[in-house]
Each structure stands twice: as structure tokens, then as C-alpha cells.
Amino acid sequence: MGNLKMVFRGTHAFTFDLPSTAEVEGEDYRTIDVPGFEAVCAFRRLDELQATDEPAFTFAQAVCVTEIEDWDFRGGEFASVLALPEAVRWVLCFPVTCEDGVRYALETSEIQPDGDDVFFYFTGTTPSGTPIRAVSSLDDLKFLSPLPQSKLALVRAKDWRWDGEAVLIAPQDVLELEIVLGSEVRVF
């Protein structure tokens, strides 16, 4: 699990589909298609994939991949990377809102995703009565193992303990839980 990477894409609808090609400007300034899909390595940079003449994204895809094909896909001032569809292990699609017309955030109704003591986990992965294994950011979802059709969930806890790259939250330490409506995982 240590070699996995998270990349993010924006979409205008709920979908697990990933593009098979990405457009890039060639040496002669003409646009060419290359195999793979363009993404960013941090959720907070999702806006960099937003075209200026395009409406705001309504969904995002968190894509767990085994490798990045090109770390410097568009050049130094852009954060985008190129990943290949065959490197995909799972895709989480979830709703987003665009704050300030620039920055994207996970769409929730109860728990603020950037609040204190808030963690992310996948439904269906924790047997009843056992600690919830969660991470502190969307960028760290690669440290979790979702099941097909798992949903993204948030948990606010009064106490937790570190377990490698994730935290363990005992059932009695859970203050609030929220399943993100409109989210789902597809495992490849």
C-alpha cells in the first residue's frame, strides 16, 4: 500500500469514467492527445483543472493509482500530472462546492470537512464495535482500503490514536458521523 498515490479530477456529473487521453501542447504549439488522464495530486489544487470558460465542477473524483506517468505534465507553474487508466486501483466520486468562485470543498450537510478533530473514512470497512480507521485529509485516502460501493464519511472524534498513516477512533470517542450523500467508490 505504500506505493499508492492519490490524484484528483473535477467533473460536472457523478461518474466513475476516466478519460483515456489528455490534451497537451506539442513543441510546435499544436494540441496533441497523449494516453492517460490529467489530474492534480492535492484536492486543494482542483481549481487548476478548471477551464475559465467552463462552469464550476459539481463532483470530484479521488483516484487511487499505483504510479504517476508524468509528474510535470503541463510545466512548472501547473500542478497537474498524467496518470494511466491501467494504474487505477479505485475511484471515489463525491459532490463538491466551489467557494469564492475559486476553491473547491467537499459538500457536506452536518460536519465541516475542515473542522477540528474531523477525519475521513469509508463506510462498510469497520465491523460493528471496532475502532474506525480514518485519515485527516482527502489527500491521505490512499492509506484506507475501500470496498466496492463504499461511501465517503466524516467522523468528528473527542479522542483518537495514531496507527501509522491513519488514526483509530474507538466507538465511544465518536461525537458525530456523516455519510457524504452522493459519494461512492468503484474498486478496479
Side-chain angles (χ1 to χ4, degrees):
M1 221 170 18
N3 293 332
L4 298 177
K5 316 269 186 282
M6 288 305 303
V7 296
F8 298 87
R9 299 185 62 254
T11 67
H12 298 287
F14 180 93
T15 183
F16 294 119
D17 294 340
L18 296 167
S20 58
T21 61
E23 290 183 350
V24 67
E25 194 173 280
E27 290 180 17
D28 59 358
Y29 300 104
R30 291 188 343 199
T31 301
I32 57 172
D33 286 339
V34 295
F37 60 90
E38 184 176 13
V40 290
C41 287
F43 178 70
R44 66 180 171 76
R45 301 194 84 159
L46 189 63
D47 64 294
E48 294 184 24
L49 298 177
Q50 179 74 53
T52 55
D53 59 345
E54 182 178 37
F57 299 132
T58 54
F59 284 86
Q61 294 173 319
V63 185
C64 185
V65 297
T66 56
E67 66 180 309
I68 302 293
E69 183 69 15
D70 185 351
W71 283 95
D72 194 21
F73 183 56
R74 294 216 180 258
E77 73 241 28
F78 296 98
S80 69
V81 298
L82 183 70
L84 299 176
E86 54 267 24
V88 174
R89 290 296 164 252
W90 52 263
V91 176
L92 165 68
C93 190
F94 58 95
V96 294
T97 59
C98 187
E99 298 177 348
D100 307 333
V102 178
R103 191 172 61 98
Y104 283 92
L106 171 65
E107 186 177 299
T108 60
S109 52
E110 300 295 324
I111 301 175
Q112 290 299 317
D114 57 355
D116 291 339
D117 304 319
V118 173
F119 301 93
F120 302 89
Y121 73 101
F122 291 110
T123 62
T125 59
T126 304
S128 182
T130 62
I132 295 172
R133 185 172 163 77
V135 293
S136 59
S137 78
L138 292 170
D139 297 344
D140 291 332
L141 288 173
K142 65 186 176 188
F143 298 115
L144 302 178
S145 300
L147 299 172
Q149 300 178 339
S150 285
K151 300 199 178 307
L152 181 63
L154 288 85
V155 57
R156 193 165 63 82
K158 62 181 176 183
D159 197 15
W160 66 88
R161 66 180 167 89
W162 285 104
D163 180 41
E165 301 292 339
V167 298
L168 293 177
I169 303 166
Q172 67 270 17
D173 293 327
V174 172
L175 295 173
E176 282 183 280
L177 291 173
E178 180 179 353
I179 295 173
V180 177
L181 300 177
S183 70
E184 190 172 317
V185 171
R186 180 174 177 196
V187 177
F188 294 86

